[in-house]
Amino acid sequence: MLMKTIILIVVLLWIYSLSVFKRAKLDAFYFLMGSLGLFIVLVLWSKPYAIWLFSTIMTWGVGLVGAFFGIFSTLPLGHVIQVLYHERIILMNVDYECSGIVETAAFVSLTSFYPVFKVQQRLWLALTGVAFIFAANIVRLTFVATSLHLFGSGSFFLAHSILGRLLFYVLMLTFYFTIFTRGQLIQVASQNRETT
């Protein structure tokens, strides 16, 4: 009960600080406080509820790819990927880290308060971002499972912790550049055309 009360007080203080920054027209502080606060709220909320859902959906999505190629299968409700390697089965567990929930919360938080986009654009970008992060994570987990299928459990660390993460973060950086940097350049260019 004490923890819920503390969280409620922190959320109310966060909302109050957002209103102060909005009224004072301090857009940078509004963006930073809003994004950080929403990220914390989403991560705290995800702990009891969304982790299971995200892990289940991620395992199911990876299972579709595995079934198509026939090199691994999944147990979505158990969050398990079963990889066949020379008549042995290697099991991978899709947990909090592999679910993509932290990356999704970060992207939704940033788009929710990014000042360049209108409300409808933010909603559309958030939905697009969730779908992209889901697809990028499926690519990463498929890469790891395929590496295990080809090279065995000895390749797990390299495939999961180094190459898989590198692949995922290259996809994410490309996506972030497209949405935020390129998106802002397009918005500024269209505003300049309107003023001239």
Side-chain angles (χ1 to χ4, degrees):
M1 182 67 181
L2 178 64
M3 190 59 160
K4 289 182 181 180
T5 305
I6 291 171
I7 291 173
L8 179 63
I9 290 170
V10 169
V11 168
L12 291 174
L13 287 172
W14 171 62
I15 292 171
Y16 176 73
S17 67
L18 284 177
S19 70
V20 169
F21 290 140
K22 187 74 165 174
R23 283 182 277 142
K25 296 182 181 176
L26 297 170
D27 293 335
F29 289 109
Y30 179 78
F31 170 70
L32 290 172
M33 180 62 77
S35 298
L36 181 61
L38 184 58
F39 175 75
I40 291 169
V41 167
L42 289 174
V43 168
L44 288 175
W45 174 79
S46 73
K47 289 282 185 184
Y49 305 110
I51 295 171
W52 182 86
L53 179 64
F54 269 64
S55 295
T56 302
I57 293 170
M58 188 58 57
T59 307
W60 172 79
V62 172
L64 292 177
V65 177
F68 181 77
F69 291 110
I71 57 176
F72 57 89
S73 62
T74 61
L75 302 169
L77 294 179
H79 310 143
V80 174
I81 301 172
Q82 300 174 329
V83 181
L84 184 63
Y85 173 70
H86 297 299
E87 299 179 10
R88 285 185 285 159
I89 294 179
I90 301 170
L91 300 177
M92 270 178 38
N93 186 32
V94 178
D95 59 1
Y96 184 73
E97 179 189 347
C98 295
S99 68
I101 203 163
V102 172
E103 292 83 1
T104 302
F107 184 79
V108 168
S109 299
L110 289 171
T111 55
S112 296
F113 290 93
Y114 199 63
V116 173
F117 302 117
K118 296 175 185 160
V119 174
Q120 290 178 335
Q121 290 173 316
R122 291 176 190 172
L123 181 62
W124 170 205
L125 287 173
L127 293 173
T128 303
V130 169
F132 183 86
I133 292 167
F134 176 73
N137 218 6
I138 286 177
V139 168
R140 179 179 74 91
L141 290 174
T142 300
F143 171 78
V144 174
T146 303
S147 297
L148 290 175
H149 174 72
L150 295 174
F151 306 111
S153 59
S155 67
F156 180 76
F157 178 78
L158 179 64
H160 180 269
S161 299
I162 298 173
L163 297 177
R165 284 185 182 167
L166 185 64
L167 172 65
F168 179 75
Y169 289 122
V170 165
L171 292 172
M172 290 307 300
L173 284 172
T174 304
F175 185 68
Y176 270 65
F177 174 80
T178 303
I179 297 300
F180 295 112
T181 306
R182 190 168 179 267
Q184 186 167 359
L185 292 174
I186 291 170
Q187 292 282 353
V188 169
S190 69
Q191 289 173 354
N192 287 341
R193 274 188 245 127
E194 290 173 6
T195 58
T196 58

